[in-house]
Amino acid sequence: MRELGSKQPTAVELEILRILWQQGPCPVRIVHSELADEKGTNYSTTLKMLSVMLRKGLVKRNDKVTPHLYRAAVTQKHVAKTYLTDLIEKVYDGSAMSLALQALSQSEASPAEIEEARKLLDQLEAEQ
């Protein structure tokens, strides 16, 4: 659960960010069209969500063009890192390795993924 006043995106805000990451800067109607297909939201809800996200610093709005264009103010990498850091701290007592082992045990890893994990472990071991 997110803490009150958190700048971390909610589930719906993440969906909007995904749209903006994929589409690039776009007007409300494009965001709404994509969101409505997935969630069935109405236009005013999409507009309100973008307004909240603007206040939270998750999106930016270009007021110099008509219609206004919204774009993501945070990168997907930044959001992923924030969520992952929070998950590691709260669920895995700060152990990234515990998270990695849990993730690998949840589904079958491909030979390429196993090789990539080995390389990462070798690299981490060499750095110590």
Side-chain angles (χ1 to χ4, degrees), residues 83-104:
Y83 267 93
L84 201 51
T85 300
D86 195 40
L87 179 66
I88 290 168
E89 289 301 317
K90 290 181 178 175
V91 179
Y92 295 96
D93 294 325
S95 173
M97 186 54 71
S98 293
L99 171 65
L101 293 172
Q102 179 72 36
L104 287 172

Side-chain angles (χ1 to χ4, degrees), residues 7-114:
K7 285 193 170 195
Q8 197 166 345
T10 65
V12 174
E13 289 170 346
L14 269 176
E15 288 185 42
I16 291 172
L17 284 171
R18 275 191 214 106
I19 292 165
L20 294 172
W21 290 327
Q22 290 170 356
Q23 300 284 335
C26 54
V28 177
R29 69 178 168 74
I30 300 293
V31 175
H32 171 67
S33 174
E34 295 278 329
L35 198 58
D37 289 345
E38 295 175 27
K39 292 286 188 191
T41 58
N42 61 41
Y43 186 86
S44 62
T45 300
T46 303
L47 187 57
K48 178 66 177 172
M49 288 303 305
L50 283 165
S51 175
V52 168
M53 292 173 72
L54 187 63
R55 279 195 310 265
K56 288 172 77 173
L58 297 171
V59 298
K60 291 189 178 184
R61 180 178 62 206
N62 183 348
D63 297 329
K64 295 177 181 164
V65 296
T66 304
H68 297 157
L69 296 178
Y70 287 85
R71 68 175 176 85
V74 292
T75 64
Q76 187 172 12
K77 185 176 180 177
H78 172 76
V79 171
K81 183 178 178 181
T82 301
Y83 267 93
L84 201 51
T85 300
D86 195 40
L87 179 66
I88 290 168
E89 289 301 317
K90 290 181 178 175
V91 179
Y92 295 96
D93 294 325
S95 173
M97 186 54 71
S98 293
L99 171 65
L101 293 172
Q102 179 72 36
L104 287 172
S105 69
Q106 288 300 108
S107 62
E108 280 191 39
S110 70
E113 290 170 326
I114 293 170

